[in-house]
Amino acid sequence: EVQVLESGGGLVQPGGSLSLSCAASGFTFSTYPMSWVRQAPGKGLEWVSVISNSGGTTFYAGSVKGRFTISRDNSKNTLWLQLNSLRADDTAIYYCAKGGLTTAGFDYWGQGTLVTVSS
Amino acid sequence: DIQMTQSPSSLSASVGDRVTITCRASQGIRNDLGWYQQKPGKAPKRLIYSASSLQGGVPSRFSGSGSGTEFTLTISSLQPEDFATYYCLQHNSYPLTFGGGTKVEIK
């Protein structure tokens, strides 16, 4: 059974940093691109970032480029998202999702981890 | 960036109704579009990929159509468990972009 499980969310002050992780199981992790998607409270879905299966290629939404960094360790079946210079409008549930452009979107999603940016 | 305009933003319908949701892309995206269902407090779930391919395990009352810039999700006979918010996603180019969502409510 495919599973992706996020962790690392919490309350952080504006300007602060946070690291999210996503543990994957039930599929050959090294074969698939992986993405982060977020959803602000009461709002719609926003794609954040993707990393290729090898980790050699990454893309970011304009709203997070230069502040967030996506990475992965295929030996540990783990995906990360490093969030720096956080702002109040980064407050959202962050979902880890299996897939990206080359896989026709996302076929599996985690349950999400909440990041709250507030003083 | 490709903009996805989804309509309507909300609708009220009864069990058994036929429901249609539309997404329009700001430029041609071939058939690189998916539809997702999200229930309150839950992660999204993919229903349709590549515009018209049904995700495994999804009931056949869900169907997708379209190509280029105009796409449609149809629920042929709305069931109680279908009341949710639906999103389209273009997977033609980065940044991937979602439509604004359609909330389907009980009439």
Side-chain angles (χ1 to χ4, degrees):
Chain A
E1 179 189 6
V2 172
Q3 289 190 336
V4 288
L5 182 62
E6 307 91 339
S7 61
L11 175 63
V12 60
Q13 292 188 339
S17 297
L18 206 60
S19 181
L20 307 182
S21 63
C22 170
S25 60
F27 64 101
T28 307
F29 183 71
S30 61
T31 302
Y32 294 93
M34 295 292 294
S35 293
W36 290 95
V37 177
R38 69 182 180 183
Q39 186 170 36
K43 302 298 184 181
L45 299 168
E46 179 187 19
W47 173 81
V48 172
S49 182
V50 66
I51 187 166
S52 64
N53 64 307
S54 68
T57 301
T58 59
F59 291 95
Y60 297 91
S63 57
V64 308
K65 195 169 186 178
R67 301 188 299 123
F68 290 8
T69 302
I70 192 171
S71 60
R72 67 190 293 163
D73 184 335
N74 287 341
S75 69
K76 296 180 179 179
N77 288 358
T78 302
L79 174 74
W80 290 281
L81 186 68
Q82 177 66 37
L83 292 68
N84 295 332
S85 302
L86 283 162
R87 312 184 301 224
D89 62 359
D90 294 317
T91 294
I93 296 172
Y94 285 74
Y95 294 102
C96 169
K98 171 177 170 281
L101 189 153
T102 56
T103 59
F106 315 119
D107 55 354
Y108 289 94
W109 300 62
Q111 286 307 299
T113 188
L114 177 62
V115 173
T116 303
V117 183
S118 175
S119 55
Chain B
D1 297 3
I2 298 172
Q3 308 303 316
M4 301 302 298
T5 303
Q6 188 172 338
S7 62
S9 58
S10 66
L11 65 90
S12 295
S14 300
V15 172
D17 284 354
R18 182 182 183 86
V19 168
T20 299
I21 300 168
T22 298
C23 259
R24 175 176 296 148
S26 60
Q27 63 190 71
I29 59 169
R30 303 182 304 185
N31 68 335
D32 298 331
L33 182 118
W35 290 97
Y36 295 78
Q37 175 193 66
Q38 188 180 32
K39 296 182 179 179
K42 299 294 186 181
K45 169 188 172 183
R46 189 167 72 177
L47 303 175
I48 301 285
Y49 63 95
S50 298
S52 60
S53 296
L54 191 67
Q55 180 73 29
V58 173
S60 59
R61 63 180 179 273
F62 292 94
S63 64
S65 64
S67 183
T69 61
E70 295 279 340
F71 300 88
T72 299
L73 173 70
T74 299
I75 309 173
S76 60
S77 177
L78 198 66
Q79 298 301 300
E81 60 268 30
D82 300 338
F83 292 96
T85 300
Y86 295 83
Y87 296 91
C88 63
L89 165 71
Q90 69 82 14
H91 51 80
N92 177 264
S93 63
Y94 291 119
L96 305 187
T97 44
F98 289 90
T102 297
K103 187 173 184 179
V104 176
E105 300 176 303
I106 301 173
K107 182 183 286 186

